[in-house]
Amino acid sequence: MLGGADVDSSLVTAYLDHAATTPMLPEAIAAMTEELARAGNASSLHTSGRRARRVVEESREQLAAAIGAGPSEVVFTAGGTEADNLAVKGLFWARRAQDPRRRRVLASAVEHHAVLDPVEWLAAHEGADVEWLPVDRLGRVDVDAVEETIARDPASVALVTVMWANNEVGTVQPVEAVAGLAHSHGIPVHSDAVQALGQLPLDLTAAAVDCLTLSGHKVGGPVGAGALVARRGLDLVPVLHGGGQERGVRSGTIDAPAVRAFAVATELAAKDQPEVAARLAALRDDLVAAVLAGVPDAVLRGDPDPAGRLPGNAHFTFPGCEGDSLLYLLDARGVECSTGSACQAGVPQPSHVLLAMGVDRDDARGALRFSLGRTSTVEDVDALAAAIGPAVDRAGRAGLSVRSGG
């Protein structure tokens, strides 16, 4: 980690990490605050309990309508990670119980860790045969490889999971094509759509997937609220056991205030998606141009075609730099973003997404993701434009000194 990057408290912060979390919408805050002042367990039969139940069910209807689903298809969870675990583990266990031959799990190599880690856990503890679906240099799943992988033994495949859009490089995945291939063999498909909601059109009626994951805090709702939207009749084995709430697959007292705020934010995200996406895409293009003007050898990762990536995403690698160093240097200049790497046991590791795309390990270490949201402004892009050149220059000199032993 680069030292000496003292924060200037007089700087106005440019927040460019909306893919990690985005500010709650005023409407969602108001809805949540109103419910927090009321008592009532949605499973109780008295008046307060029935009132809480009404809030939950109206929220379920509101969220379902926003994404073209039926209310009975919405299973509320405590966030995207829980929903991904329920989808991956629940589908695997249910399918294996129906037919012990169904032990293969097909997952894209660029999934979020909320999918990667449950898949790897199934391999380590439940005897799953995991096959990672390859991606091209843009981070997009190879549909031909999916077809070939399934065709080797369709009867042994328990499920396929491919995210709607990648959380790091922003590449939109060919989910409908993958689902079409899987469904031709009767195989269910899950998609983590956490990053897509609010940025891309999302309609479960038109989509071919069997279940998808949503998260509240990515669209202006609260942290700790999410949902697995699962088609009627989809067999899932619960991960949590207890009171049998949420169709019997997700036990636990439902957080009515968070659920209501989540539904409000989802409705607004879906309604405003075309307008917000167009504004963010234009702002994103300006950001890309500003970074490349300040650092000509920076490499834009993901799909260079704006139509093939999330409108609010711009992901770069900076040759000769460490992403962590750049992050702290930009933070000191009032620009907040994220690296494209995970940190395990305190040791920075190159992003599995970039490695799967064929990016060199050294280049992958110099990754930064800039992500935009509703509150993003031209001033945020201007702040990055002013900061990125000096930050890269300093990080590059520091890296050269380390490599030369200086």
Side-chain angles (χ1 to χ4, degrees):
M1 184 174 68
L2 189 67
D6 296 327
V7 175
D8 183 348
S9 60
S10 67
L11 292 172
V12 176
T13 298
Y15 184 72
L16 298 174
D17 199 17
H18 290 266
T21 196
T22 198
M24 281 188 71
L25 294 169
E27 297 88 341
I29 293 174
M32 189 167 185
T33 302
E34 182 178 7
E35 292 305 320
L36 285 170
R38 297 169 173 166
N41 185 323
S43 296
S44 298
L45 299 180
H46 48 58
T47 301
S48 294
R50 293 197 304 274
R51 191 208 61 79
R53 169 57 63 183
R54 184 168 61 253
V55 168
V56 169
E57 296 310 321
E58 289 175 352
S59 298
R60 196 188 310 277
E61 292 173 0
Q62 185 178 16
L63 189 149
I67 61 168
S72 65
E73 296 176 317
V74 176
V75 177
F76 286 120
T77 67
T81 295
E82 184 192 341
D84 280 338
N85 272 261
L86 175 57
V88 171
K89 295 175 182 175
L91 275 174
F92 177 79
W93 287 329
R95 295 270 291 168
R96 187 184 59 181
Q98 295 165 359
D99 187 341
R101 294 177 300 169
R102 294 170 176 164
R103 307 184 73 85
R104 295 169 68 203
V105 177
L106 311 186
S108 87
V110 295
E111 293 297 308
H112 189 280
H113 276 284
V115 169
L116 287 182
D117 290 358
V119 168
E120 291 178 343
W121 185 89
L122 287 173
H125 300 279
E126 297 289 319
D129 296 323
V130 177
E131 296 182 54
W132 302 109
L133 302 170
V135 298
D136 61 19
R137 62 182 183 82
L138 304 180
R140 184 166 288 115
V141 170
D142 184 336
V143 175
D144 290 337
V146 175
E147 184 174 23
E148 293 171 5
T149 304
I150 292 175
R152 285 204 304 271
D153 186 7
S156 67
V157 180
L159 71 140
V160 177
T161 178
V162 173
M163 65 198 329
W164 204 281
N166 186 259
N167 57 297
E168 290 191 24
V169 300
T171 299
V172 179
Q173 299 295 346
V175 174
E176 291 195 18
V178 170
L181 291 171
H183 287 167
S184 68
H185 297 286
I187 300 167
V189 177
H190 163 253
S191 184
D192 182 327
V194 164
Q195 294 293 335
L197 182 60
Q199 295 214 34
L200 301 174
L202 201 62
D203 186 343
L204 191 65
T205 303
V209 299
D210 299 280
C211 56
L212 56 81
T213 294
L214 304 176
S215 179
H217 72 107
K218 307 294 189 179
V219 292
V223 174
L228 180 67
V229 185
R231 290 195 185 278
R232 296 179 187 87
L234 186 66
D235 194 7
L236 291 168
V237 173
V239 173
L240 300 178
H241 298 86
Q245 293 92 338
E246 296 301 281
R247 286 170 42 180
V249 297
R250 199 282 179 180
S251 292
T253 301
I254 301 174
D255 186 342
V259 160
R260 182 179 171 194
F262 177 25
V264 167
T266 300
E267 181 179 60
L268 289 171
K271 178 175 70 72
D272 297 341
Q273 184 274 325
E275 177 185 350
V276 170
R279 185 180 74 83
L280 293 187
L283 202 59
R284 185 267 323 274
D285 292 346
D286 291 343
L287 186 155
V288 170
V291 170
L292 293 177
V295 188
D297 62 347
V299 180
L300 178 67
R301 301 295 180 179
D303 195 337
D305 182 352
R309 75 185 305 137
L310 291 169
N313 174 283
H315 185 285
F316 294 90
T317 54
F318 298 89
C321 296
E322 289 284 341
D324 288 343
S325 297
L326 280 175
L327 185 150
Y328 288 115
L329 286 166
L330 288 173
D331 189 42
R333 291 174 172 269
V335 177
E336 296 179 336
C337 61
S338 70
T339 65
S341 63
C343 190
Q344 298 176 359
V347 180
Q349 299 292 330
S351 162
H352 70 281
V353 173
L354 294 178
L355 296 182
M357 292 165 56
V359 177
D360 177 84
R361 293 185 70 87
D362 288 339
D363 288 342
R365 293 182 188 278
L368 287 182
R369 179 190 67 185
F370 305 101
S371 51
L372 305 167
R374 279 177 178 260
T375 59
S376 296
T377 63
V378 171
E379 288 73 22
D380 293 336
V381 173
D382 291 343
L384 174 62
I388 190 65
V392 169
D393 180 64
R394 183 175 175 187
R397 284 188 281 109
L400 179 62
S401 175
V402 170
R403 289 190 294 274
S404 64

